[in-house]
Amino acid sequence: MPDQLRCYSPVDGKQYVQRSYCSEEELNTSLELAREAQQVWQLMPLAERLKLLEGVLGYFDEHRDLIAEQISWQMGRPCRYADGEINGLLERGRYMLSIAEQSLADIQPPSTPDTEHYIELTPVGLVLTVAPWNYPLLTTVNSVIPALAAGNAVILKPSAQTPLTGEHFQRACAQAGLPSGLLQCVHLRHEQTNKLLSEAKVDFACFTGSVAAGAEFEKSAAGQFIGLGLELGGKDPAYVRDDLNPEQLKEAAVALAGGAFFNSGQSCCGIERIYVANSQFEVFCEHFVAEVKSLNLGVPTLSEATLGPVVKASAANWVRKQIEEAVAQGAKAWISTSDYPLDDGEGVYLAPQVLTNVNHNMSVMSEESFGPVVGIMPVDSDQQAIELMNDSDYGLTASIWTKDVAAAKLIGKQIETGTVFLNRCDYLDPALAWTGVKQTGRGISLSTLGYAQLTQAKSFHLRLG
C-alpha cells in the first residue's frame, strides 16, 4: 500500500506534487479538532460567519495567478482558461453567501397567544467533501461554502490529481480567521474515505465522481443513516430545432462545440451527443466541424493552446476505443488525427473528433466519454429528439436550441434531466438547483435548496405563561 500521494502532470508526465497520506492517528485527530471547532462555529452569529467566509473567497481572488497555473499543471487545462475557474468559484461562493440569511432563517408558522413555535435549521455537524480533479475549485465550492455558512465543519478530500486545490481551501480558511480545524484538507486513500462513512465518522458526505465510485461510496454508508450528495456521470444531450435562421444555426454550432470540447470534454455537464433537425443537419455539421478544427491542441502552459491533454493515458485510450468501435460500425469521422502532431495514438494528447452516422448502439452515444469526442444525429421531430435524449442512463443537463420559447419549455418538461438550457449549455447558475436524475446521482447543491441538505430541522414548541 503506497504511503505517498504522487500527482503526475499530464503536461509532461513528470511528478508535480508529492504528499504523505494521512495516518489513522492524524485522521482521528483531525476529526476531533473539526468537531471541537464546529461547536464554537455554530454558535457564532450568522453575520459574523458570513463576513469571515467573504475573506475565504478573497484569498482565491488574491492568489488567482498561482492557483490557475497550478491547475494547468495538475490536470492539463490550458492556462488561458484556468483563471476562469476562479471567477466561477467567486461567483458561486458569493451568491451562496448572499442568500444564506434567507435560506437559513427560522420557519415561522402562525403562533397562538399562549404558544410560540418555529423550526430552526441547524447544522448537520461534520461534512465530508470528496472533490474531483476536472473542476477542483468549482465542485468544492458548491458544498464547502454553504456547509460552512450553515455552521458545519468540513473535512475536504481533494483528488489525488489536484491535491493543491484542497490545500488552498485550508490556507484560505486559516488566513480569513476561521476557527482552527474547522476546515481541514486531508489526503486519504480510498479505503480511509470509505471507513469514514462505514463507521459514521461524519454526518453528511458530498461526492463528485464516476457512477462506479459513487455506488461504492453509497455502499460504504449503508446502514449508517448518513446523508449523501452524489454528483456522478453524464451524457448530456443537445437538440437543435428546425426554426433557427442561418446566423442562429452557426451560433448554435459554435456554442455547442465549446460545450463539447472545453476542458478537453472532461466535464460532467459537457455536451456529449447532439441531435439536429434533418433540414438543418448538413449545414450545422459544416459549422460545427469548422469550429472544432480551429482548436489548437497544445501544451497547456503555452498561451496558444485552446485544447489541452486529457488527464491520463487510460482516459485518452478509452475515447480512442469508442471512436474506433464507432467507425468500425459505420460512423463517419470528420477530423484527421494527422492534423494534430501531439496525438501519438497512445498518450494523453488526444485530437478532437466529431462523428456522424452514429446510433445508440454505439458506446460513444450511450456511455460517458469524458473526452474530446461528440456524435451528431439527425432527427425528424421533437418527439424523436425527446426519445433519444431520454435514451440514457444519465440525466444532468439538456440543451435546446430554438426561437420558440414555448416549445422549449414543453420539450424541457418531457426530458429526464436535472437542468434544461435554452440557447446555451455548460453553465451553472448558482441561483438554480444543481442536481441530476437516474445514474447521475442524488442530492442538490447551489440555490436555496443546496442549504437544505446541509442542515437539519429542529422544532421548538414553547408554551408561554
Side-chain angles (χ1 to χ4, degrees):
M1 184 180 297
D3 60 352
Q4 295 289 308
L5 177 156
R6 291 180 171 84
C7 163
Y8 292 91
S9 172
V11 176
D12 58 7
K14 296 179 181 178
Q15 181 174 298
Y16 184 68
V17 181
Q18 180 175 331
R19 293 289 187 270
S20 296
Y21 281 111
C22 197
S23 70
E24 292 304 311
E25 182 179 356
E26 290 169 335
L27 181 56
N28 288 333
T29 299
S30 291
L31 295 170
E32 292 174 6
L33 290 174
R35 294 285 186 188
E36 292 172 2
Q38 192 272 326
Q39 292 299 310
V40 175
W41 180 247
Q42 71 173 346
L43 297 177
M44 185 182 294
L46 177 58
E48 293 183 27
R49 294 204 301 263
L50 298 181
K51 185 175 181 180
L52 290 173
L53 291 172
E54 284 281 2
V56 173
L57 297 175
Y59 169 94
F60 289 92
D61 201 7
E62 179 184 347
H63 297 87
R64 63 169 56 234
D65 291 342
L66 170 64
I67 297 170
E69 179 186 3
Q70 290 176 344
I71 288 174
S72 290
W73 278 100
Q74 288 173 98
M75 55 77 61
R77 185 183 307 139
C79 60
R80 63 162 61 195
Y81 303 128
D83 184 65
E85 185 167 358
I86 297 168
N87 293 335
L89 174 148
L90 296 174
E91 178 190 18
R92 296 183 194 181
R94 286 170 177 161
Y95 180 81
M96 294 306 290
L97 294 183
S98 75
I99 64 169
E101 185 175 355
Q102 165 198 346
S103 302
L104 298 169
D106 293 348
I107 299 171
Q108 297 271 5
S111 294
T112 63
D114 60 349
T115 302
E116 179 184 357
H117 58 178
Y118 57 92
I119 303 169
E120 184 178 271
L121 300 179
T122 64
V124 293
L126 180 54
V127 174
L128 169 66
T129 290
V130 180
W133 52 264
N134 61 323
Y135 287 99
L137 298 180
L138 291 181
T139 51
T140 301
V141 75
N142 287 357
S143 61
V144 163
I145 289 298
L148 293 173
N152 298 291
V154 174
I155 295 294
L156 170 59
K157 179 198 174 298
S159 166
Q161 190 64 43
T162 51
L164 299 183
T165 55
E167 294 175 7
H168 279 296
F169 271 94
Q170 179 168 322
R171 203 170 293 127
C173 289
Q175 179 175 295
L178 275 64
S180 177
L182 186 69
L183 180 142
Q184 296 173 67
C185 170
V186 294
H187 300 300
L188 303 177
R189 304 180 187 89
H190 293 311
E191 56 268 25
Q192 290 177 296
T193 305
N194 292 339
K195 190 175 180 181
L196 289 177
L197 302 174
S198 64
E199 296 184 0
K201 296 290 183 69
V202 297
D203 304 304
F204 190 90
C206 302
F207 172 83
T208 305
S210 70
V211 174
E216 286 299 313
F217 204 76
E218 191 172 46
K219 183 178 178 181
S220 295
Q224 297 302 323
F225 308 106
I226 296 171
L228 298 179
L230 304 173
E231 184 189 332
L232 309 177
K235 193 71 182 174
D236 290 8
Y239 171 38
V240 180
R241 295 183 80 234
D242 61 5
D243 62 345
L244 298 184
N245 64 39
E247 182 179 352
Q248 292 168 330
L249 186 65
K250 183 176 182 179
E251 290 174 355
V254 170
L256 286 170
F261 292 97
F262 185 78
N263 209 38
S264 296
Q266 299 170 123
S267 173
C268 55
C269 60
I271 297 297
E272 293 211 4
R273 49 199 175 105
I274 302 174
Y275 307 99
V276 183
N278 257 315
S279 61
Q280 304 275 36
F281 185 77
E282 184 176 339
V283 176
F284 176 87
C285 288
E286 290 175 0
H287 290 316
F288 190 89
V289 170
E291 182 66 19
V292 174
K293 286 183 175 179
S294 72
L295 296 173
N296 183 358
L297 177 63
V299 176
T301 53
L302 301 179
S303 60
E304 61 266 25
T306 57
L307 190 69
V310 297
V311 69
K312 293 182 184 297
S314 58
N317 288 329
W318 162 247
V319 177
R320 290 187 178 104
K321 179 183 177 184
Q322 284 188 309
I323 294 169
E324 290 169 2
E325 289 180 350
V327 170
Q329 295 174 54
K332 176 182 177 180
W334 286 77
I335 308 295
S336 173
T337 57
S338 63
D339 293 335
Y340 299 84
L342 287 179
D343 186 346
D344 61 6
E346 57 184 24
V348 295
Y349 286 90
L350 178 61
Q353 189 55 269
V354 181
L355 300 172
T356 55
N357 296 342
V358 291
N359 59 64
H360 280 215
N361 293 322
M362 298 175 180
S363 168
V364 76
M365 294 298 286
S366 59
E367 297 184 75
E368 187 173 31
S369 300
F370 221 65
V373 61
V374 68
I376 310 176
M377 289 178 62
V379 293
D380 296 324
S381 64
D382 289 348
Q383 190 57 43
Q384 185 185 16
I386 292 167
E387 291 173 359
L388 289 169
M389 285 191 281
N390 287 340
D391 183 26
S392 174
D393 293 332
Y394 305 104
L396 185 56
T397 78
S399 177
I400 305 166
W401 297 77
T402 179
K403 293 188 291 186
D404 191 334
V405 176
K409 289 181 179 179
L410 181 60
I411 294 168
K413 287 179 180 293
Q414 300 172 74
I415 304 173
E416 298 162 353
T417 191
T419 296
V420 176
F421 291 113
L422 172 61
N423 298 332
R424 76 175 309 165
C425 59
D426 196 16
Y427 171 73
L428 274 69
D429 180 347
L432 298 179
W434 188 242
T435 187
V437 299
K438 298 188 277 192
Q439 289 192 21
T440 288
R442 58 183 296 183
I444 294 172
S445 61
L446 302 177
S447 79
T448 58
L449 299 179
Y451 277 104
Q453 68 181 13
L454 299 167
T455 58
Q456 54 193 7
K458 178 182 288 186
S459 294
F460 284 78
H461 185 103
L462 310 177
R463 184 177 179 184
L464 307 176

